[in-house]
Amino acid sequence: MTTQTTFTLHPSPLGDILLACTKAGITQIIFQEGATAMTPEPEWAYDPTAFKDVATQLDAYFAGELTDFDLPLAPEGTPFQLTVWQALQTIPYGETISYGELAQEIGRPTASRAVGAANGRNPLPIVIPCHRVIGQDGSLTGYGGGLRFKKALLSLEKNGRLEVEEQLSLL
C-alpha cells in the first residue's frame, strides 16, 4: 500500500510554489520558476485545503512576520542527507554558515562537498533553510531555486525586505 500524496500550488513573491504532503507531513516545497520546477505526479491528488497551515506560515515568512516554522516535515533522502537537513534547521534566522562549518557541525569535517550536494537536494527549501549556507569566502554559491532566490531570502532575513532581482530572458 502506497501513501497518498496531496499537492497544491501556492502563490508567493517568488512565483508559484508546489507544495506536496503525505499523512506523515510535508514532502516537497518546490519553486516553480527556474530549474527546480516540478510537475505533480499523475497519481497525486490536488487538495489546496490540506495546506492551510503551510500557506499561512509561508505567507507570514514572506511578510517578515515569521522566523521559525512549526510544520510536520517528512523529507525523503539518504541517512546522510537527512542528517544535513536536520542540521540546517539549527541555523538561526538571519544568520549564515559555510558548507565547511556545516560539515564540521555534523561531525564530517572533510565532507563539505557532500554537504553541498545534500543541501542542493533539499526538498523543503525555505522551511529547511538551505539558503543560509554560503561559501567559505562569504560568496553566495548554489541554490536549487537559483541564486536570485537565495539572495532574496537572505535579504528578507537580514534586512526585512524581499529583494528579488529580475531575471532576464534570452527567449
Side-chain angles (χ1 to χ4, degrees), residues 110-164:
T110 61
S112 59
R113 287 186 186 201
V115 163
N119 213 37
R121 298 193 60 91
N122 174 13
L124 299 170
I126 305 171
V127 175
I128 296 179
C130 53
H131 60 278
R132 296 178 188 156
V133 183
I134 59 174
Q136 190 69 34
D137 63 359
S139 63
L140 298 187
T141 60
Y143 186 64
L147 285 181
R148 70 187 188 111
F149 286 173
K150 183 172 190 165
K151 187 182 242 184
L153 295 172
L154 290 173
S155 173
L156 171 66
E157 293 186 11
K158 290 190 184 283
N159 307 318
R161 293 183 313 276
L162 189 70
E163 297 173 359
V164 182

Side-chain angles (χ1 to χ4, degrees), residues 6 9 15 17 32 35 41 43 46 54 58 61 69 71 84 99 125 128 130 144-145 156:
T6 304
L9 288 175
I17 299 173
Q32 291 304 101
E41 298 294 328
E43 65 273 12
Y46 177 74
V54 182
L58 283 171
Y61 171 81
F69 290 91
L71 298 166
V84 170
Y99 293 96
I128 296 179
C130 53
L156 171 66

Side-chain angles (χ1 to χ4, degrees), residues 85-108:
W85 300 338
Q86 187 67 39
L88 288 171
Q89 294 175 71
T90 67
I91 305 169
Y93 180 91
E95 295 185 21
T96 57
I97 67 171
S98 72
Y99 293 96
E101 290 169 319
L102 188 57
Q104 289 274 358
E105 188 172 310
I106 65 167
R108 302 280 302 271

